[in-house]
Amino acid sequence: MRISNFGFQGLLKQKAFYFFSFFMLVSCLVFPQGSFMWSKDGNAYYRIQNGNIMLYTLPANDSRILISKEQLTPSGSSVPLDVSYFKISDDEKKVLLFTNTQKVWRLNTRGDYWVLNLGTGTLQQLGKSLPEASLMFAKISPDSNQVAYVSENNLYVEDLKTATIKPLTFDGSTTLINGTFDWVYEEEFACRDGFRWSPDSKSIAYWQIDASDIKKFYMINNTDAIYSEIIPIEYPKVGESPSACKVGIVTIADAKTTWMNIPGDARQHYLVRMEFIPSTKKLLIQQLNRKQNESKLFVAEPNTGTSKMIYEEKDAAWVDVYDEGYKYDVYFTNKYNWLNNGKSILWATEKDGWRHLYNVSLENGKEQLITKGDYDFTDLKLVDTKGGAVYFMASPSNATQSYLYKTSLDGKGTLKLISPKALQGTHDYNVSPTGTYAIHSFSNHFTKNASELISFSDHKPIDEAKGIQANISKLEEKPKVEFFKVKTADGIEMDGWMVKPTNFDPSKKYPLVFYVYSEPATATVTDTYGIGSNRLYSGNMADDGYVYVSLDNRGTPAPKGRAWRKSIYRNIGIINIKDQAMAAKEILKWGFIDPARVAVWGWSGGGAATLNLMFQYPEIYKTGIAIAAVTNQLTYDNIYQERYMGLPQENRADFVNGSPITYAKNLEGNLLYIHGTGDDNVHYQNAELLVNELVKHNKQFQFMPYPNRTHSIREGEGTNQHLRTLFTNYLKKYCPPGAK
């Protein structure tokens, strides 16, 4: 059996961080990443609790301390290690502990590692001769005798018996990166952990990124010292060639690397997946061309470096890289799902117009369709090879919801709903390695987030009294959100949600506020608890008398088929903006909407949409609040922008026509623009370019830069309260609340 998860909607993508931060499932059975892990046999789970690592045995769910605070206290110290993440070795005799973690771009992936020997109780720190908090992605070897890790962009291996540290690469630098990735690979492919142990523990396969030719973008820190500090970042803007990337296999004995020969210019392709094929020494490597509309799978021989292409996929727009696992886990990797003892893989593609699963042979590339029908597979949850079944998430009849389904691995089965029919909304599952148990999570717009431990085969709670359905009356509340569909004059039907004023009177007219994102990174209309909330508003929008609405246009990653999602290709800033505006025109026909009080706001891609709507459709949108927006598409990174827009060398007009700055001269309403000067994602450059253009045309607006704040604008004392106050006051002033 193999469990994995293809992250269909780019969960918690930084570009949409603030939308999804509302809806992380919270309950006694859903734990922070790193603090929970299933046992190898699937009949128990581990979690960090009160500084101890606990073992919970199922089905009784009895707990005992597996590793105590005392065992986690180093010799000579009175303070136990503050463990953020832990991993148990394959032989279950050692535990890898991650502490003193430091942030690298998005996540705390750098820190100190320790190994606890469960037999002897010995607590051993790794990498003692290396800089403090410099170790990344430590992994115990399959034979449990060694640990490999990255430090300062070089790969090391440490013998657990002798504590001998051996470097495996020697050329690592700021721009030559071994065993991990540069900014753009992490941001757009979620590639962070860049090496893999061989099954025999004798070698390690790793990525090497050469960013030496990537131009540096400079951010400026003006506040932490009398003299400003320049902060460089290797950042490939759209139109610039990618970093060169290659894969090598280094043997532990002699630290010699053999490079895999993958056809194509290394600076015009991406290598996005790599893994040893089970029970072999061969590698399976996925390559994307620069436009990301061609995907190829290569089988590479470690001794010679030769490779053979065994599968190819093309798309007129782009080929998605399917994320296996929760990609904001420190140890997230794009792993393959092996079938037939590694002779084939489970693969997802949209080639028939819907996202479906196929069985692809590694011997001849032949494929067999497994999921069938006019619906999208969204998340893979369990591959039961013994039972001949695959369990996955989908929602054939309602794109705002998510359910668990089952079908046969041979492609001959019918689609079977597994999630309870009575629970209409959004389900999720964390399934144990053997498929015996699972954590089932559920919510909808009127049911609070809840989870239960279930027996996976029959979907019954381990403890009926604590089950979701047994407690549904306690979880449900009066709906605050209404879901609706709106059809534009162009015949485009869109899903939306709406929160009406608390004391709604249909005979009166109310101000309308739109929340937008609109780009391929995420959808905003999902049937989840907390939908319709606005974390930036101080108070309650409904109580104050606002109608709050969000819509998902074409191009958002809703499970509505390939044509829906990929219609936005080379059309960001055009088709999504038109869909939003045409839907708004229909909504303005509702008798209780005041067309003189219409506002729109969004963050990142949603900030860009806000600006485009304000500038392209000033007759509709009277007030806008845009945060950290891409004001000029030519300033953003190459992987994201080229995937969805092509190459500016070939179709520059599309980038210009989709950029808010092109239409800034049309501003008529009230605009508040907000950006962090330390934003390494959407550079502050975007703010200054927009300001210049608005000044050029004598357009009056309000502007708020936050010094040294990143894309999330959450650093610094008082920042959150200041941002909320600014947002709320501006909205109330220029789009006054209340009925008229």
Side-chain angles (χ1 to χ4, degrees), residues 22-140:
F22 291 109
F23 311 120
M24 292 296 290
L25 296 178
V26 178
S27 79
C28 61
L29 293 176
V30 179
F31 315 114
Q33 279 296 315
S35 68
F36 171 88
M37 188 177 69
W38 287 107
S39 65
K40 190 174 181 179
D41 64 9
N43 293 320
Y45 62 90
Y46 311 96
R47 63 171 296 194
I48 299 172
Q49 191 173 23
N50 298 323
N52 304 306
I53 296 180
M54 308 293 295
L55 173 66
Y56 287 77
T57 304
L58 300 174
N61 206 27
D62 294 329
S63 66
R64 67 177 178 86
I65 295 176
L66 178 70
I67 302 173
S68 67
K69 293 179 183 178
E70 290 72 25
Q71 290 173 286
L72 293 174
T73 303
S75 177
S77 174
S78 59
V79 181
L81 297 174
D82 183 10
V83 178
S84 298
Y85 295 80
F86 67 96
K87 292 281 183 179
I88 297 178
S89 61
D90 288 346
D91 65 3
E92 299 184 303
K93 295 180 179 180
K94 299 181 179 72
V95 181
L96 185 68
L97 308 165
F98 188 30
T99 71
N100 191 25
T101 66
Q102 308 292 320
K103 189 176 183 181
V104 179
W105 306 128
R106 299 289 165 256
L107 300 181
N108 286 33
T109 53
R110 186 176 68 241
D112 294 325
Y113 279 93
W114 299 68
V115 172
L116 176 67
N117 188 312
L118 292 175
T120 64
T122 304
L123 190 60
Q124 174 183 353
Q125 184 176 5
L126 302 175
K128 284 187 177 181
S129 63
L130 298 171
E132 181 184 0
S134 71
L135 274 58
M136 303 177 71
F137 311 115
K139 289 190 280 291
I140 299 175

Side-chain angles (χ1 to χ4, degrees), residues 320-533:
D320 281 311
V321 176
Y322 295 95
D323 300 329
E324 179 193 330
Y326 180 67
K327 72 184 199 178
Y328 278 76
D329 181 359
V330 167
Y331 281 94
F332 167 81
T333 53
N334 273 318
K335 292 182 179 179
Y336 301 101
N337 290 274
W338 308 104
L339 299 174
N340 303 320
N341 297 316
K343 294 180 181 179
S344 63
I345 57 172
L346 196 62
W347 198 246
T349 176
E350 297 176 326
K351 61 177 54 184
D352 72 350
W354 298 91
R355 182 172 288 118
H356 282 307
L357 290 173
Y358 291 77
N359 183 339
V360 176
S361 169
L362 299 187
E363 297 176 344
N364 53 29
K366 289 185 178 179
E367 57 189 17
Q368 179 186 32
L369 177 63
I370 295 176
T371 58
K372 299 177 180 178
D374 293 344
Y375 66 90
D376 285 309
F377 142 86
T378 57
D379 271 351
L380 182 63
K381 291 302 176 184
L382 175 69
V383 180
D384 180 2
T385 53
K386 185 179 294 186
V390 58
Y391 295 81
F392 60 95
M393 307 304 294
S395 189
S397 59
N398 189 330
T400 71
Q401 299 176 340
S402 184
Y403 301 90
L404 183 68
Y405 285 87
K406 171 186 177 181
T407 195
S408 300
L409 269 174
D410 60 11
K412 299 178 181 179
T414 57
L415 191 65
K416 181 181 179 182
L417 176 66
I418 302 299
S419 298
K421 291 182 179 180
L423 298 179
Q424 298 288 305
T426 299
H427 298 258
D428 199 9
Y429 296 81
N430 183 342
V431 188
S432 71
T434 54
T436 308
Y437 299 100
I439 296 176
H440 166 226
S441 303
F442 171 76
S443 81
N444 59 33
H445 62 284
F446 60 89
T447 304
K448 297 177 182 178
N449 301 312
S451 296
E452 59 186 355
L453 274 166
I454 63 170
S455 169
F456 192 67
S457 60
D458 57 12
H459 207 289
K460 291 185 177 180
I462 299 301
D463 186 339
E464 288 283 356
K466 296 181 179 179
I468 293 174
Q469 289 182 282
N471 293 279
I472 196 69
S473 61
K474 300 175 184 177
L475 297 168
E476 290 181 339
E477 58 188 26
K478 183 179 179 181
K480 301 174 183 177
V481 180
E482 298 178 24
F483 281 78
F484 65 90
K485 294 182 183 292
V486 59
K487 182 173 287 189
T488 70
D490 299 328
I492 306 301
E493 186 177 76
M494 299 164 58
D495 285 307
W497 54 253
M498 170 174 53
V499 181
K500 289 180 179 176
T502 302
N503 298 311
F504 177 69
D505 183 343
S507 67
K508 295 182 178 180
K509 292 188 179 296
Y510 297 87
L512 172 62
V513 179
F514 287 100
Y515 168 69
V516 294
Y517 185 76
S518 85
E519 293 196 10
T522 194
T524 63
V525 184
T526 57
D527 191 1
T528 50
Y529 187 73
I531 200 79
S533 300

Side-chain angles (χ1 to χ4, degrees), residues 134-246:
S134 71
L135 274 58
M136 303 177 71
F137 311 115
K139 289 190 280 291
I140 299 175
S141 60
D143 64 10
S144 300
N145 294 325
Q146 306 167 90
V147 178
Y149 45 76
V150 171
S151 177
E152 298 186 317
N153 290 338
N154 274 315
L155 187 61
Y156 295 83
V157 66
E158 183 168 341
D159 186 284
L160 288 175
K161 290 182 179 179
T162 65
T164 301
I165 300 172
K166 181 176 183 177
L168 299 178
T169 64
F170 306 86
D171 52 2
S173 68
T174 302
T175 57
L176 193 65
I177 304 165
N178 297 296
T180 183
F181 296 89
D182 60 0
W183 181 92
V184 73
Y185 259 84
E186 173 171 333
E187 175 68 18
E188 304 303 352
F189 290 135
C191 289
R192 291 181 293 270
D193 177 1
F195 68 91
R196 309 284 184 267
W197 274 105
S198 64
D200 62 7
S201 301
K202 294 180 179 180
S203 61
I204 291 174
Y206 68 98
W207 276 268
Q208 184 186 80
I209 303 291
D210 183 357
S212 58
D213 288 340
I214 300 299
K215 295 177 183 177
K216 291 180 174 60
F217 188 88
Y218 296 96
M219 298 183 295
I220 300 177
N221 180 346
N222 282 315
T223 62
D224 289 348
I226 298 300
Y227 286 90
S228 60
E229 177 188 1
I230 296 176
I231 304 170
I233 175 176
E234 287 74 31
Y235 188 107
K237 299 277 187 177
V238 60
E240 298 286 330
S241 294
S243 303
C245 179
K246 57 184 179 180

Side-chain angles (χ1 to χ4, degrees), residues 650-664:
E650 299 176 357
N651 56 295
R652 185 183 180 88
D654 295 332
F655 292 82
V656 174
N657 293 337
S659 294
I661 198 169
T662 302
Y663 310 98

